Amino acid sequence: MPAATQTATIAAMPDTPAIDAAQLAHLQTWQGRSETLTDLITASPVDALSATLDRDDPAPQDASVLPGLWHWMYFLPHARAGEVGPDGHPKRGGFLPPVPLPRRMWAGARLAWEPGNPLRVGQKVQRQSTIRSVTHKAGRSGELLFVLVEHQYRNAHGLALTEEHDIVYRAAARPGDPAPAPQKPPLAGQAAWSRTITPDPVLLFRYSALTFNGHRIHYDRKYVTEVEGYAGLVVHGPLIATLLLDLLRRQMPDAQLARFDFRAVRPTTDLHPFSVHGKPSSDGKTVELWAQDHEGWLTMQATATLL
């Protein structure tokens, strides 16, 4: 998820202990760790996400191609209730390192699909996940720790998709923390396609349910404003990325993805509608995609490369 915008009214919180060299060295022992999961690409979540995105798709059948990013409804962590942390995420440790910074967000990803081998409904798929790096730095708003996870998805025909997933951990929100500097979209005013999204609580709830995401920033208004310091419920970064590719799919329904890269720039909350935009290149091989908030600030930037 994107980094938080701080408000001046949140309650003071104790300092988070710094990650010193010894702690960082311990966290970096997670580099190279892997886990392998298997899941069945069933039709019901596909039908449910289609309804959630207000699409008029035909009912999915066996062998239907899974749209880009819809694989995020599978391979979900099913932590028992007693294993859930105060933020609604599974407690730290296990596959991911036990980072002592309390806020965890999805910062971006890079995905590459194998030509001729899409994920399809009815397939049994194996996902191998490997922690590639654990890095630490101090930013304007405090400490940041980045975990890069690589996921490789294989079906009966071999490798189908490779995904690099950036996770960022941040210190607790405190009064006076600087907000991210706003940016205008590089292609502002040049969009060929645009769509306005109303991020009402029903949309956020449905996407959380489909991805088994218990993170309280998406549904618990008291928690998200008083503890994490956001202005309102946070729209899921993966949902915004999915809406960007959904815009492309609405405009170019026969397009086949080769790559999709995106990065979260600024948080989006449910307090106002936001918009998604796209501009294809002159040769039709790439599409620049971006999301912006109600004030016109860039919230997510992405590039889709087509076969």
Side-chain angles (χ1 to χ4, degrees):
M1 305 296 164
T5 300
Q6 306 305 323
T7 64
T9 58
I10 54 177
M13 298 183 66
D15 289 339
T16 301
I19 297 176
D20 59 25
Q23 288 175 311
L24 180 59
H26 174 64
L27 296 174
Q28 288 177 334
T29 64
W30 264 256
Q31 292 177 157
R33 292 195 181 195
S34 293
E35 70 173 10
T36 300
L37 302 174
T38 301
D39 207 347
L40 180 66
I41 307 300
T42 54
S44 182
V46 175
D47 203 29
L49 184 54
S50 179
T52 298
L53 300 182
D54 202 21
R55 295 186 56 87
D56 187 22
D57 292 327
Q61 306 293 327
D62 275 357
S64 295
V65 173
L66 193 66
L69 307 186
W70 290 31
H71 66 285
W72 287 337
M73 295 186 292
Y74 305 92
F75 304 96
L76 304 176
H78 292 163
R80 292 171 53 188
E83 297 170 346
V84 173
D87 62 355
H89 274 306
K91 292 178 181 177
R92 310 296 173 86
F95 174 65
L96 289 173
V99 179
L101 302 175
R103 291 186 291 167
R104 174 170 43 183
M105 293 149 281
W106 191 319
R110 294 156 299 283
L111 301 99
W113 286 264
E114 295 297 316
N117 188 24
L119 297 175
R120 296 178 182 271
V121 173
Q123 290 181 341
K124 182 179 287 188
V125 178
Q126 182 184 82
R127 186 186 76 178
Q128 183 177 31
S129 303
T130 304
I131 297 177
R132 293 301 183 193
S133 66
V134 177
T135 56
H136 174 258
K137 74 173 186 178
R140 288 193 312 136
S141 57
E143 289 185 281
L144 302 169
L145 190 129
F146 298 89
V147 177
L148 171 60
V149 183
E150 179 189 74
H151 303 292
Q152 291 188 334
Y153 298 82
R154 290 178 169 84
N155 55 23
H157 305 290
L159 182 65
L161 169 63
T162 300
E163 174 182 4
E164 291 182 334
H165 171 195
D166 301 320
I167 306 170
V168 62
Y169 297 81
R170 301 188 59 178
R174 295 184 298 183
D177 282 351
Q183 306 174 41
K184 285 291 186 180
L187 297 177
Q190 301 180 46
W193 320 320
S194 297
R195 184 170 178 239
T196 298
I197 308 296
T198 300
D200 59 68
V202 175
L203 173 63
L204 303 191
F205 167 80
R206 287 176 128 190
Y207 191 76
S208 287
L210 283 168
T211 55
F212 204 68
N213 185 345
H215 198 183
R216 292 169 66 182
I217 65 173
H218 305 305
Y219 60 86
D220 186 334
R221 196 172 300 276
K222 181 178 176 66
Y223 172 86
V224 75
T225 56
E226 296 183 8
V227 176
E228 298 230 9
Y230 293 91
L233 298 179
V234 176
V235 182
H236 315 65
L239 173 57
I240 298 174
T242 300
L243 286 164
L244 289 176
L245 277 189
D246 181 65
L247 177 67
L248 186 157
R249 189 172 166 222
R250 289 170 187 266
Q251 298 294 329
M252 302 175 67
D254 297 325
Q256 298 182 56
L257 287 168
R259 285 192 58 89
F260 182 64
D261 300 1
F262 75 91
R263 64 182 183 92
V265 176
R266 187 177 175 87
T268 299
T269 71
D270 71 328
L271 301 181
H272 304 279
F274 66 96
S275 53
V276 290
H277 307 268
K279 181 181 180 182
S281 62
S282 57
D283 62 5
K285 293 297 186 182
T286 61
V287 180
E288 297 300 322
L289 297 157
W290 67 96
Q292 59 189 58
D293 65 18
H294 67 291
E295 296 180 305
W297 299 121
L298 179 68
T299 59
M300 182 172 286
Q301 190 164 13
T303 301
T305 304
L306 309 180
L307 292 175

